[in-house]
Amino acid sequence: ALAAGQPLPHIFIESFWQYFITIGGSGATFALVLMYTRSKSAHLRSIGKLGVVPACFNINEPVIFGSPIVMNPVLFFPFIVARMVNAIIAYTAASADLIGKVISLVPWTAPAPIGAAWSAGWQVNNGLLVLGLLVIDFLIYLPFFKVYEKQLLAQEAEMEAEMNAQTA
């Protein structure tokens, strides 16, 4: 269709999934990793520091298993909802021709704003949408992150009190 000069028939293909829906890896966790890097919890801060570079390249195993997000009732809801919100917004934007449709398959490890623009023939609107979705993901994860951080801070304080009691 592209070569014939006709409208592109498909929106939802692999590059669309990689760069608009799962920003930073499955669950759209890049915003969460950024929050982890500034956490008051030593555990989350270390996971954030370890996971920020891989998350830039859509690899989020450090945060998925280090947090852990797997089987974590606090982070389950935003892990599912962030992707759905990203999909709805990006699909609507592509359907309304606000962003360029994907015309090439780009390596899945390309950073999301770059990969989104690259896969649509270097359309800047695609990269800007990814940055907007990142802000939305941040807002989705924020209240759940705060609850989880509070739980971990309480556990860390309890462990520190136990260690102090043992040394005294």
Side-chain angles (χ1 to χ4, degrees), residues 7 9-10 20 22 33 36 40 47 56 64 69 89 96 102 109-110 113 123 136-137 145 147 151 156-158 165-166:
H10 303 290
F20 291 109
T22 60
V33 171
Y36 279 11
K40 296 173 190 168
I47 297 298
C56 288
I64 292 282
I69 292 178
I89 292 170
V102 174
T109 54
Q123 293 199 19
I136 291 168
D137 293 345
F145 163 74
V147 169
Q151 289 175 354
E156 289 174 8
E158 183 181 313
Q166 288 176 356

Side-chain angles (χ1 to χ4, degrees), residues 8-165:
L8 298 175
H10 303 290
I11 293 173
F12 195 83
I13 62 174
E14 183 184 354
S15 291
F16 185 83
W17 173 268
Q18 294 295 338
Y19 304 120
F20 291 109
I21 299 173
T22 60
I23 302 167
S26 63
T29 56
F30 190 67
L32 184 64
V33 171
L34 293 176
M35 284 185 246
Y36 279 11
T37 61
R38 306 290 295 168
S39 177
K40 296 173 190 168
S41 166
H43 175 73
L44 293 181
R45 200 171 43 255
S46 66
I47 297 298
K49 288 177 183 177
L50 287 170
V52 73
V53 172
C56 288
F57 300 99
N58 298 320
I59 299 167
N60 68 345
E61 281 78 7
V63 72
I64 292 282
F65 298 108
S67 294
I69 292 178
V70 176
M71 302 300 286
N72 185 331
V74 176
L75 296 176
F76 175 76
F77 181 77
F79 186 77
I80 301 298
V81 170
R83 290 184 284 192
M84 292 178 3
V85 170
N86 288 353
I88 290 167
I89 292 170
Y91 188 86
T92 302
S95 296
D97 291 327
L98 298 174
I99 61 170
K101 292 182 182 171
V102 174
I103 59 170
S104 65
L105 296 177
V106 176
W108 64 272
T109 54
I114 295 168
W118 185 4
S119 66
W122 293 106
Q123 293 199 19
V124 176
N125 287 350
N126 288 34
L128 294 175
L129 178 61
V130 169
L131 296 176
L133 292 173
L134 185 61
V135 170
I136 291 168
D137 293 345
F138 185 87
L139 295 173
I140 291 169
Y141 271 106
L142 185 61
F144 299 94
F145 163 74
K146 289 293 187 186
V147 169
Y148 188 51
E149 180 185 47
K150 186 177 178 181
Q151 289 175 354
L152 289 181
L153 287 171
Q155 287 176 1
E156 289 174 8
E158 183 181 313
M159 288 174 55
E160 187 175 326
E162 285 178 16
M163 290 181 69
N164 289 338

